[in-house]
Protein backbone atom coordinates (compact mmCIF):
# COMPACT_ATOMS: atom_id res chain seq x y z
CA UNK A 1 0.00 0.00 0.00
CA UNK A 2 1.68 3.20 -1.13
CA UNK A 3 1.59 5.97 1.44
CA UNK A 4 0.12 9.26 0.27
CA UNK A 5 1.37 12.68 1.27
CA UNK A 6 -0.59 14.73 3.75
CA UNK A 7 -1.08 18.42 3.10
CA UNK A 8 1.83 20.62 4.22
CA UNK A 9 0.70 23.70 6.13
CA UNK A 10 3.22 25.47 8.30
CA UNK A 11 2.11 26.65 11.70
CA UNK A 12 3.42 30.07 12.57
CA UNK A 13 4.71 30.91 16.01
CA UNK A 14 1.91 32.14 18.19
CA UNK A 15 2.01 35.50 19.95
CA UNK A 16 3.15 35.92 23.50
CA UNK A 17 0.37 36.26 26.05
CA UNK A 18 0.43 38.79 28.88
CA UNK A 19 -0.21 37.35 32.34
CA UNK A 20 -1.06 38.84 35.73
CA UNK A 21 0.93 37.93 38.84
CA UNK A 22 -0.25 37.89 42.41
CA UNK A 23 3.10 39.37 43.46
CA UNK A 24 4.60 42.71 42.54
CA UNK A 25 8.05 41.96 41.21
CA UNK A 26 10.40 44.54 39.70
CA UNK A 27 13.30 43.73 37.44
CA UNK A 28 15.82 46.12 35.99
CA UNK A 29 19.41 46.70 35.07
CA UNK A 30 21.76 48.15 37.62
CA UNK A 31 21.77 51.42 35.68
CA UNK A 32 17.98 51.77 35.39
CA UNK A 33 16.00 49.88 38.01
CA UNK A 34 12.63 48.81 36.60
CA UNK A 35 13.52 49.26 32.92
CA UNK A 36 10.87 47.56 30.78
CA UNK A 37 11.70 44.20 29.21
CA UNK A 38 10.34 44.16 25.64
CA UNK A 39 9.67 40.79 23.97
CA UNK A 40 11.35 40.21 20.64
CA UNK A 41 9.50 39.12 17.54
CA UNK A 42 9.85 35.54 16.39
CA UNK A 43 12.92 35.13 14.21
CA UNK A 44 12.90 32.62 11.37
CA UNK A 45 16.12 30.63 11.41
CA UNK A 46 17.70 28.40 8.79
CA UNK A 47 17.55 24.76 9.86
CA UNK A 48 20.79 22.93 9.13
CA UNK A 49 19.96 19.52 10.58
CA UNK A 50 17.89 17.78 13.21
CA UNK A 51 14.71 15.85 13.76
CA UNK A 52 11.75 14.98 15.95
CA UNK A 53 12.23 11.55 17.56
CA UNK A 54 8.75 10.22 18.31
CA UNK A 55 7.00 6.87 18.20
CA UNK A 56 3.46 8.34 18.38
CA UNK A 57 2.02 5.47 20.47
CA UNK A 58 3.87 2.28 21.40
CA UNK A 59 0.77 0.09 21.67
CA UNK A 60 -0.36 1.22 18.20
CA UNK A 61 3.04 0.28 16.76
CA UNK A 62 2.86 -3.15 18.34
CA UNK A 63 -0.78 -3.73 17.38
CA UNK A 64 -0.36 -2.75 13.74
CA UNK A 65 3.21 -3.98 13.32
CA UNK A 66 2.46 -7.54 14.45
CA UNK A 67 -1.20 -7.87 13.32
CA UNK A 68 -1.45 -10.98 15.52
CA UNK A 69 -5.22 -10.55 15.76
CA UNK A 70 -5.71 -10.14 11.99
CA UNK A 71 -9.10 -11.36 10.73
CA UNK A 72 -9.21 -13.85 7.89
CA UNK A 73 -12.89 -13.12 7.27
CA UNK A 74 -14.65 -9.78 7.61
CA UNK A 75 -17.00 -8.83 10.42
CA UNK A 76 -20.16 -7.09 9.19
CA UNK A 77 -18.50 -6.53 5.82
CA UNK A 78 -15.55 -4.67 7.36
CA UNK A 79 -11.90 -5.74 7.26
CA UNK A 80 -10.92 -9.35 6.66
CA UNK A 81 -8.28 -10.63 4.28
CA UNK A 82 -5.74 -11.60 6.92
CA UNK A 83 -2.60 -9.72 7.98
CA UNK A 84 -1.05 -7.19 5.64
CA UNK A 85 2.42 -8.20 4.41
CA UNK A 86 5.38 -7.25 6.63
CA UNK A 87 6.88 -4.05 5.29
CA UNK A 88 3.51 -2.53 4.43
CA UNK A 89 1.98 -2.40 7.90
CA UNK A 90 3.81 0.69 9.17
CA UNK A 91 5.37 2.92 6.54
CA UNK A 92 7.24 6.20 7.16
CA UNK A 93 7.02 8.46 4.10
CA UNK A 94 8.26 11.72 2.56
CA UNK A 95 11.57 11.78 4.39
CA UNK A 96 10.52 10.27 7.73
CA UNK A 97 12.31 7.08 8.73
CA UNK A 98 12.48 4.45 11.44
CA UNK A 99 14.71 5.48 14.35
CA UNK A 100 17.31 2.71 14.47
CA UNK A 101 18.34 3.80 17.98
CA UNK A 102 14.84 3.36 19.42
CA UNK A 103 13.41 0.27 21.09
CA UNK A 104 11.05 -1.94 19.09
CA UNK A 105 7.49 -2.20 20.32
CA UNK A 106 7.43 -5.93 19.57
CA UNK A 107 10.09 -8.61 19.21
CA UNK A 108 8.00 -10.41 16.58
CA UNK A 109 8.41 -7.48 14.17
CA UNK A 110 11.36 -5.55 15.54
CA UNK A 111 12.22 -3.53 12.44
CA UNK A 112 8.71 -2.24 11.72
CA UNK A 113 7.71 -1.35 15.30
CA UNK A 114 10.49 1.13 16.08
CA UNK A 115 9.85 4.83 16.64
CA UNK A 116 10.43 7.45 13.93
CA UNK A 117 12.63 10.37 12.96
CA UNK A 118 10.85 13.29 11.29
CA UNK A 119 13.45 15.65 9.73
CA UNK A 120 13.28 19.31 10.74
CA UNK A 121 12.53 21.63 7.83
CA UNK A 122 11.86 25.12 9.25
CA UNK A 123 11.86 26.97 12.55
CA UNK A 124 10.87 30.24 14.18
CA UNK A 125 12.75 30.98 17.41
CA UNK A 126 11.96 33.76 19.87
CA UNK A 127 13.27 32.19 23.07
CA UNK A 128 13.11 28.92 24.98
CA UNK A 129 9.45 29.52 25.84
CA UNK A 130 8.35 30.58 22.36
CA UNK A 131 9.38 28.66 19.29
CA UNK A 132 7.98 26.60 16.42
CA UNK A 133 9.79 23.82 14.56
CA UNK A 134 8.20 22.18 11.50
CA UNK A 135 9.05 18.65 10.35
CA UNK A 136 8.79 16.86 7.03
CA UNK A 137 7.38 13.40 6.45
CA UNK A 138 4.78 11.27 8.09
CA UNK A 139 3.88 7.71 9.02
CA UNK A 140 1.10 5.37 7.90
CA UNK A 141 -0.51 2.58 9.95
CA UNK A 142 -2.14 0.05 7.62
CA UNK A 143 -4.28 -2.66 9.30
CA UNK A 144 -6.91 -3.55 6.71
CA UNK A 145 -8.20 -6.72 8.35
CA UNK A 146 -9.25 -4.60 11.32
CA UNK A 147 -10.72 -2.02 9.03
CA UNK A 148 -8.54 1.09 9.38
CA UNK A 149 -5.76 3.12 7.81
CA UNK A 150 -4.15 6.00 9.79
CA UNK A 151 -1.71 8.62 8.59
CA UNK A 152 0.13 11.27 10.62
CA UNK A 153 2.06 14.07 8.91
CA UNK A 154 2.82 17.80 8.59
CA UNK A 155 4.00 17.83 12.21
CA UNK A 156 5.17 20.90 14.09
CA UNK A 157 6.32 21.41 17.65
CA UNK A 158 4.79 24.63 18.96
CA UNK A 159 5.92 26.08 22.31
CA UNK A 160 3.87 29.10 23.28
CA UNK A 161 4.69 30.83 26.58
CA UNK A 162 6.24 27.58 27.81
CA UNK A 163 3.28 25.37 26.83
CA UNK A 164 4.15 22.71 24.23
CA UNK A 165 1.87 21.04 21.70
CA UNK A 166 2.24 18.91 18.59
CA UNK A 167 0.31 20.33 15.64
CA UNK A 168 -0.25 18.45 12.40
CA UNK A 169 -2.56 16.43 10.15
CA UNK A 170 -4.30 13.12 10.79
CA UNK A 171 -6.24 11.05 8.25
CA UNK A 172 -8.30 8.07 9.48
CA UNK A 173 -10.00 5.81 6.92
CA UNK A 174 -12.12 2.69 7.27
CA UNK A 175 -11.14 -0.24 5.04
CA UNK A 176 -13.52 -2.73 3.39
CA UNK A 177 -12.54 -6.13 1.92
CA UNK A 178 -14.24 -7.55 -1.15
CA UNK A 179 -13.32 -11.15 -0.45
CA UNK A 180 -10.47 -11.43 -2.95
CA UNK A 181 -7.29 -13.33 -2.05
CA UNK A 182 -5.28 -12.33 1.01
CA UNK A 183 -3.24 -9.18 0.52
CA UNK A 184 -5.50 -7.60 -2.08
CA UNK A 185 -9.07 -6.48 -2.55
CA UNK A 186 -9.10 -3.85 0.20
CA UNK A 187 -10.95 -0.60 -0.46
CA UNK A 188 -10.48 2.62 1.51
CA UNK A 189 -13.55 4.49 2.66
CA UNK A 190 -13.81 8.28 2.82
CA UNK A 191 -11.17 9.44 5.33
CA UNK A 192 -11.95 11.44 8.43
CA UNK A 193 -9.33 14.20 8.25
CA UNK A 194 -8.00 16.73 10.73
CA UNK A 195 -5.81 19.33 9.01
CA UNK A 196 -3.44 21.49 11.05
CA UNK A 197 -4.99 20.50 14.37
CA UNK A 198 -3.45 20.29 17.83
CA UNK A 199 -2.76 16.55 17.95
CA UNK A 200 -1.13 16.30 21.36
CA UNK A 201 -0.58 18.23 24.57
CA UNK A 202 2.50 18.03 26.81
CA UNK A 203 2.58 18.07 30.62
CA UNK A 204 6.28 18.83 30.99
CA UNK A 205 8.73 20.26 28.46
CA UNK A 206 12.40 21.13 28.91
CA UNK A 207 14.16 23.34 26.36
CA UNK A 208 17.85 24.08 25.96
CA UNK A 209 18.58 26.89 23.50
CA UNK A 210 21.81 28.52 22.42
CA UNK A 211 24.86 28.21 20.22
CA UNK A 212 22.75 27.57 17.15
CA UNK A 213 21.11 24.53 18.71
CA UNK A 214 17.79 23.74 20.34
CA UNK A 215 17.10 20.56 22.31
CA UNK A 216 13.67 19.64 23.64
CA UNK A 217 12.44 16.77 25.79
CA UNK A 218 8.72 16.32 26.38
CA UNK A 219 6.93 14.00 28.79
CA UNK A 220 3.32 13.47 29.74
CA UNK A 221 2.13 13.58 26.11
CA UNK A 222 -1.55 12.89 25.35
CA UNK A 223 -3.99 13.02 22.44
CA UNK A 224 -6.33 16.02 22.36
CA UNK A 225 -10.09 16.07 21.86
CA UNK A 226 -9.47 17.26 18.28
CA UNK A 227 -7.37 14.17 17.59
CA UNK A 228 -9.96 11.97 19.30
CA UNK A 229 -12.65 13.31 16.97
CA UNK A 230 -10.60 12.28 13.92
CA UNK A 231 -10.16 8.78 15.33
CA UNK A 232 -13.95 8.32 15.43
CA UNK A 233 -15.61 6.61 12.46
CA UNK A 234 -19.22 5.40 12.07
CA UNK A 235 -17.96 2.01 10.94
CA UNK A 236 -14.93 1.40 13.13
CA UNK A 237 -15.98 3.46 16.15
CA UNK A 238 -13.66 5.63 18.28
CA UNK A 239 -10.11 4.46 18.89
CA UNK A 240 -8.49 7.12 21.07
CA UNK A 241 -10.47 9.56 23.24
CA UNK A 242 -9.05 12.85 24.50
CA UNK A 243 -6.42 12.38 27.18
CA UNK A 244 -5.13 9.05 25.87
CA UNK A 245 -1.46 8.81 26.88
CA UNK A 246 0.98 8.50 23.99
CA UNK A 247 4.75 8.39 23.59
CA UNK A 248 7.11 11.04 24.94
CA UNK A 249 9.33 12.72 22.36
CA UNK A 250 12.53 14.68 21.89
CA UNK A 251 13.81 17.21 19.38
CA UNK A 252 17.39 18.13 18.50
CA UNK A 253 17.94 20.80 15.84
CA UNK A 254 20.93 22.81 14.65
CA UNK A 255 20.24 26.10 12.91
CA UNK A 256 21.82 29.27 11.58
CA UNK A 257 20.32 32.75 11.51
CA UNK A 258 20.65 35.38 8.79
CA UNK A 259 24.26 36.51 8.53
CA UNK A 260 25.31 33.65 10.81
CA UNK A 261 24.20 35.53 13.91
CA UNK A 262 22.17 34.19 16.81
CA UNK A 263 18.72 35.62 17.53
CA UNK A 264 18.91 38.43 20.07
CA UNK A 265 18.42 37.02 23.58
CA UNK A 266 15.08 37.89 25.14
CA UNK A 267 14.95 38.47 28.92
CA UNK A 268 12.55 35.89 30.36
CA UNK A 269 11.49 35.44 33.99
CA UNK A 270 9.75 32.49 35.61
CA UNK A 271 8.48 32.20 39.19
CA UNK A 272 8.41 29.07 41.31
CA UNK A 273 4.98 30.25 42.52
CA UNK A 274 2.85 33.34 42.11
CA UNK A 275 -0.24 32.32 44.12
CA UNK A 276 -1.00 30.33 47.24
CA UNK A 277 1.73 31.99 49.27
CA UNK A 278 1.64 32.13 53.06
CA UNK A 279 1.22 35.86 53.85
CA UNK A 280 2.98 35.46 57.20
CA UNK A 281 6.24 34.09 55.86
CA UNK A 282 7.13 32.36 52.63
CA UNK A 283 9.64 32.45 49.79
CA UNK A 284 9.60 32.53 46.01
CA UNK A 285 12.33 31.61 43.56
CA UNK A 286 12.83 33.82 40.52
CA UNK A 287 14.67 32.36 37.51
CA UNK A 288 15.87 34.70 34.77
CA UNK A 289 17.33 33.87 31.36
CA UNK A 290 18.46 35.88 28.36
CA UNK A 291 19.56 39.03 30.20
CA UNK A 292 22.16 41.31 28.63
CA UNK A 293 25.58 40.87 30.21
CA UNK A 294 27.10 43.62 28.06
CA UNK A 295 25.17 46.49 29.71
CA UNK A 296 27.72 48.47 31.72
CA UNK A 297 27.21 50.05 35.11
CA UNK A 298 27.73 53.79 35.54
CA UNK A 299 28.46 53.93 39.28
CA UNK A 300 30.99 52.30 41.62
CA UNK A 301 31.70 49.56 42.40
CA UNK A 302 30.72 48.34 38.90
CA UNK A 303 31.28 51.48 36.84
CA UNK A 304 32.40 50.41 33.38
CA UNK A 305 31.69 46.74 34.16
CA UNK A 306 28.64 44.53 33.66
CA UNK A 307 25.98 46.17 35.82
CA UNK A 308 23.88 43.06 36.37
CA UNK A 309 20.21 42.80 37.21
CA UNK A 310 18.21 43.86 40.29
CA UNK A 311 15.35 41.69 41.51
CA UNK A 312 13.08 43.34 44.07
CA UNK A 313 9.85 42.40 45.86
CA UNK A 314 7.39 44.97 47.14
CA UNK A 315 4.25 47.02 46.52
CA UNK A 316 4.32 49.20 43.42
CA UNK A 317 2.03 51.93 42.11
CA UNK A 318 0.97 51.82 38.46
CA UNK A 319 3.61 54.45 37.70
CA UNK A 320 6.65 53.53 39.79
CA UNK A 321 9.74 53.56 37.58
CA UNK A 322 12.44 55.97 38.73
CA UNK A 323 13.62 56.19 35.12
CA UNK A 324 10.22 57.77 34.36
CA UNK A 325 10.53 60.26 37.23
CA UNK A 326 8.32 58.43 39.74
CA UNK A 327 8.88 59.34 43.39
CA UNK A 328 10.29 56.77 45.81
CA UNK A 329 6.94 56.66 47.62
CA UNK A 330 5.45 54.85 44.59
CA UNK A 331 7.44 51.71 45.41
CA UNK A 332 7.60 50.08 48.81
CA UNK A 333 10.39 47.55 48.71
CA UNK A 334 11.23 44.72 51.05
CA UNK A 335 14.81 45.48 52.04
CA UNK A 336 17.95 43.49 51.34
CA UNK A 337 18.21 42.63 55.05
CA UNK A 338 14.62 41.34 54.96
CA UNK A 339 15.44 39.11 51.99
CA UNK A 340 13.41 41.04 49.43
CA UNK A 341 16.12 42.34 47.10
CA UNK A 342 18.83 40.58 45.13
CA UNK A 343 21.49 41.84 42.76
CA UNK A 344 22.59 39.40 40.06
CA UNK A 345 26.17 40.14 38.99
CA UNK A 346 28.94 38.21 37.29
CA UNK A 347 30.67 35.75 39.61
CA UNK A 348 33.88 37.77 39.69
CA UNK A 349 31.97 40.82 41.00
CA UNK A 350 30.04 39.15 43.83
CA UNK A 351 32.60 40.19 46.44
CA UNK A 352 32.81 43.73 45.01
CA UNK A 353 29.18 44.45 45.88
CA UNK A 354 29.37 42.88 49.35
CA UNK A 355 28.61 39.22 48.73
CA UNK A 356 25.50 37.35 49.80
CA UNK A 357 24.90 39.70 52.75
CA UNK A 358 24.37 42.49 50.24
CA UNK A 359 21.96 40.36 48.23
CA UNK A 360 24.44 39.23 45.59
CA UNK A 361 23.57 36.25 43.40
CA UNK A 362 25.50 34.99 40.39
CA UNK A 363 24.60 36.16 36.89
CA UNK A 364 25.95 33.55 34.46
CA UNK A 365 27.82 34.66 31.37
CA UNK A 366 24.80 33.59 29.29
CA UNK A 367 22.53 36.03 31.17
CA UNK A 368 20.86 33.55 33.55
CA UNK A 369 20.35 33.81 37.31
CA UNK A 370 18.34 32.32 40.16
CA UNK A 371 17.26 34.37 43.17
CA UNK A 372 15.15 33.38 46.20
CA UNK A 373 13.17 36.21 47.80
CA UNK A 374 11.52 36.26 51.24
CA UNK A 375 7.80 37.03 51.19
CA UNK A 376 6.01 38.71 54.10
CA UNK A 377 2.77 40.65 53.72
CA UNK A 378 3.39 42.44 57.01
CA UNK A 379 6.79 43.66 55.83
CA UNK A 380 5.37 44.80 52.47
CA UNK A 381 2.49 46.61 54.19
Amino acid sequence: MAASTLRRARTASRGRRAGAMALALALGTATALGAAVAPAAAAEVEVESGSLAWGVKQSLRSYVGTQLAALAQPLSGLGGGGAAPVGTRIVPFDGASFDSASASASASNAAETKAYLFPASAADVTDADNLTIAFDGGVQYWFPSHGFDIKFGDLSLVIDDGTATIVGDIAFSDVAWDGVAQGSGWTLGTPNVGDDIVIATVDDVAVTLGGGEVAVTATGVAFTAAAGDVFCNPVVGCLYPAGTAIDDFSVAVSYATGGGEEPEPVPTVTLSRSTGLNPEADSITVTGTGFDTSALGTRPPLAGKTGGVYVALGAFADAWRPSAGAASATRKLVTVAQGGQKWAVLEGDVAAIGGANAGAVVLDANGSFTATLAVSKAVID
Side-chain angles (χ1 to χ4, degrees):
M1 177 68 182
S4 61
T5 304
L6 297 179
R7 182 180 63 85
R8 163 62 62 182
R10 304 278 183 213
T11 303
S13 293
R14 299 174 186 176
R16 296 168 63 88
R17 295 190 299 266
M21 293 193 303
L23 293 174
L25 184 68
L27 292 169
T29 64
T31 54
L33 179 63
V37 175
E44 184 174 355
V45 298
E46 179 184 351
V47 172
E48 296 179 330
S49 62
S51 59
L52 162 67
W54 191 32
V56 182
K57 184 168 176 60
Q58 184 180 39
S59 61
L60 178 62
R61 303 199 315 269
S62 178
Y63 175 54
V64 178
T66 60
Q67 302 202 5
L68 297 177
L71 301 172
Q73 299 298 322
L75 296 177
S76 302
L78 177 69
V86 172
T88 68
R89 300 172 182 180
I90 302 178
V91 182
F93 58 87
D94 285 352
S97 61
F98 289 110
D99 183 358
S100 60
S102 66
S104 300
S106 173
S108 63
N109 187 358
E112 205 170 353
T113 59
K114 288 183 174 293
Y116 322 106
L117 295 175
F118 301 95
S121 57
D124 285 341
V125 178
T126 301
D127 52 47
D129 286 332
N130 297 274
L131 57 86
T132 296
I133 304 174
F135 305 93
D136 284 334
V139 61
Q140 177 189 25
Y141 297 89
W142 172 240
F143 200 167
S145 88
H146 278 211
F148 69 82
D149 174 81
I150 299 173
K151 297 185 185 75
F152 292 89
D154 185 29
L155 301 175
S156 294
L157 167 65
V158 178
I159 302 180
D160 183 9
D161 279 354
T163 299
T165 56
I166 291 288
V167 176
D169 298 346
I170 306 174
F172 176 51
S173 304
D174 61 275
V175 182
W177 181 54
D178 62 10
V180 184
Q182 178 175 334
S184 64
W186 288 303
T187 303
L188 285 175
T190 302
N192 193 11
V193 176
D195 283 340
D196 202 27
I197 63 172
V198 178
I199 294 174
T201 57
V202 177
D203 281 345
D204 187 27
V205 62
V207 180
T208 302
L209 179 64
E213 296 184 347
V214 56
V216 181
T217 56
T219 58
V221 187
F223 279 136
T224 62
D229 289 344
V230 178
F231 289 127
C232 287
N233 184 287
V235 179
V236 178
C238 294
L239 295 183
Y240 299 118
T244 299
I246 55 179
D247 288 6
D248 298 335
F249 63 84
S250 63
V251 171
V253 171
S254 297
Y255 61 87
T257 60
E261 298 178 355
E262 293 290 320
E264 287 294 325
V266 177
T268 302
V269 173
T270 57
L271 306 180
S272 59
R273 288 183 298 160
S274 59
T275 59
L277 294 165
N278 182 348
E280 302 301 323
D282 213 328
S283 64
I284 185 170
T285 299
V286 181
T287 302
T289 59
F291 282 82
D292 186 2
T293 57
S294 65
L296 302 181
T298 59
R299 298 178 182 178
L302 299 183
K305 304 176 69 175
T306 297
V309 181
Y310 283 123
V311 189
L313 183 70
F316 299 82
D318 290 338
W320 61 270
R321 290 174 172 80
S323 58
S328 59
T330 61
R331 49 193 180 274
K332 299 178 180 179
L333 300 174
V334 181
T335 67
V336 173
Q338 293 165 333
Q341 295 183 42
K342 301 294 180 181
W343 189 358
V345 297
L346 296 179
E347 187 170 12
D349 295 323
V350 167
I353 68 168
N357 290 336
V361 296
V362 173
L363 176 68
D364 293 336
N366 63 4
S368 302
F369 67 85
T370 300
T372 300
L373 303 180
V375 178
S376 169
K377 184 175 183 300
V379 169
I380 293 173
D381 288 343

